[in-house]
Amino acid sequence: MKNKILLSLTTLAFAFTAHAAQDPIPDIIFVPDNARVVEAEEKWFGGFELEADISNGSLASLGEQVKAFYTNKGFELDREQADDDDIELLFMKEQESVEVDIELEHNEIIEYSVDYETR
């Protein structure tokens, strides 16, 4: 019984620590309302990376939301590649770049990742 309680507490502490280790997401990163953030971390040389899963939504709709967000922030769309199950977007602004990848995974889950860099 004690082992089960200890194992449960250890598992809970690990889950809390893993969640607490995520860095605060800066305002420059677009996070859809229905996203479940998997990873969010500041890069040691500047910039930020975010990975999230989205269970409800469409690639096209999400792509349009991302484009609107970054163009409203003053970024220009530099590159866009899209097919049936993947959209890749690259935005540029002076010394900043944002690369967004939106990919349809199994079970209709959308994998959403953002890579923000400063030069």
Side-chain angles (χ1 to χ4, degrees), residues 8-85:
S8 296
L9 289 174
T10 303
T11 303
L12 182 62
F14 178 74
F16 177 75
T17 302
H19 178 68
Q22 290 188 353
D23 291 329
I25 300 169
D27 292 340
I28 197 70
I29 304 297
F30 175 70
V31 182
D33 291 334
N34 56 344
R36 183 183 63 81
V37 175
V38 175
E39 182 178 347
E41 68 179 357
E42 189 172 341
K43 296 179 182 182
W44 67 272
F45 55 86
F48 199 86
E49 290 183 347
L50 175 119
E51 290 184 23
D53 290 336
I54 301 167
S55 57
N56 294 320
S58 73
L59 291 179
S61 173
L62 184 54
E64 292 304 315
Q65 290 176 37
V66 170
K67 286 189 248 183
F69 179 85
Y70 285 108
T71 54
N72 285 339
K73 293 274 188 185
F75 285 84
E76 291 185 23
L77 182 60
D78 188 62
R79 184 181 76 228
E80 178 177 10
Q81 293 179 306
D83 58 34
D84 291 341
D85 61 355

Side-chain angles (χ1 to χ4, degrees), residues 86-101:
D86 186 56
I87 298 174
E88 294 176 16
L89 304 167
L90 176 64
F91 299 91
M92 305 292 288
K93 180 173 87 172
E94 297 172 8
Q95 300 296 315
E96 301 171 281
S97 68
V98 178
E99 188 171 346
V100 178
D101 188 33

